[in-house]
Amino acid sequence: MNIRIYSWLLIVVCFGVRATDEKNDEFQNYVHHNVTNPSLKKVAFEAEIIWDELLSIYGDKNNQISELDARNFMVELVSIEMCLRRLQSKLVSEPSIKAEYLDTIDNSFEYVKAQNYIYQTIGIDYQDTIISLLPKRTCGDHLTQDEIENIKET
């Protein structure tokens, strides 16, 4: 895990992460047993942390996320999802990580509502702001240069 993920783990504590529940155990089990590429596994587990936090932030109406935290969080979310897309476009035989995480209609609706909550917190110019803060290399915050260069079907 890189420094950015560690900082998000600290923010997770501030907003209160829901305990690892049956859904998380099922997702982790699924990834362990169905994903063969080690880089994709690594990114899948980082994505799960970020997706869990997104749902936690949205679900905890007692805590308000600041505009700065919302912006930084959205940069992490977009970054991990860009990385997943890149990996999955090269690893076509691997299962869809996001589809497995958002495995029900209710989960998918909650995810979209949570994203909208973050966007509203950031404000009207969120897209330009987020794009300007994204890492220059897709997956650069999540994988080493060697891991990125050596992504191929196993």
Side-chain angles (χ1 to χ4, degrees):
M1 263 196 268
N2 64 31
I3 301 274
R4 294 177 98 180
I5 297 297
Y6 285 124
S7 65
W8 275 109
L9 290 175
L10 292 174
I11 290 173
V12 166
V13 172
C14 294
F15 285 99
V17 175
R18 56 190 163 105
T20 303
D21 58 7
E22 189 175 309
K23 180 194 178 341
N24 292 73
D25 292 342
E26 287 176 16
F27 177 79
Q28 291 171 7
N29 232 0
Y30 179 85
V31 170
H32 277 300
H33 291 99
N34 295 292
V35 176
T36 59
N37 183 278
S39 295
L40 183 58
K41 272 187 186 181
K42 180 179 178 181
V43 172
F45 291 127
E46 287 183 19
E48 178 191 25
I49 291 168
I50 293 169
W51 292 333
D52 283 351
E53 179 60 10
L54 175 65
L55 295 174
S56 178
I57 290 169
Y58 176 69
D60 188 357
K61 299 302 181 194
N62 294 325
N63 284 321
Q64 294 290 324
I65 187 169
S66 71
E67 183 178 339
L68 177 63
D69 286 343
R71 185 184 68 219
N72 291 336
F73 181 81
M74 197 49 74
V75 168
E76 287 294 322
L77 180 66
V78 170
S79 174
I80 198 78
E81 291 193 5
M82 286 173 52
C83 185
L84 268 177
R85 281 191 197 108
R86 177 178 182 181
L87 289 172
Q88 299 220 259
S89 72
K90 291 183 176 195
L91 304 169
V92 294
S93 66
E94 294 284 4
S96 172
I97 301 303
K98 192 170 183 180
E100 183 59 32
Y101 184 84
L102 300 174
D103 61 346
T104 68
I105 290 173
D106 289 341
N107 288 344
S108 295
F109 274 124
E110 285 301 304
Y111 180 86
V112 170
K113 289 190 297 188
Q115 272 190 319
N116 287 337
Y117 170 73
I118 298 293
Y119 291 143
Q120 289 170 357
T121 302
I122 296 170
I124 195 150
D125 66 342
Y126 70 84
Q127 187 171 346
D128 291 336
T129 302
I130 292 168
I131 289 171
S132 71
L133 296 171
L134 286 170
K136 300 302 177 215
R137 295 178 305 137
T138 304
C139 294
D141 284 349
H142 309 288
L143 299 172
T144 66
Q145 188 60 36
D146 284 344
E147 288 172 319
I148 292 169
E149 290 172 1
N150 295 312
I151 298 168
K152 50 183 114 134
E153 291 284 338
T154 52

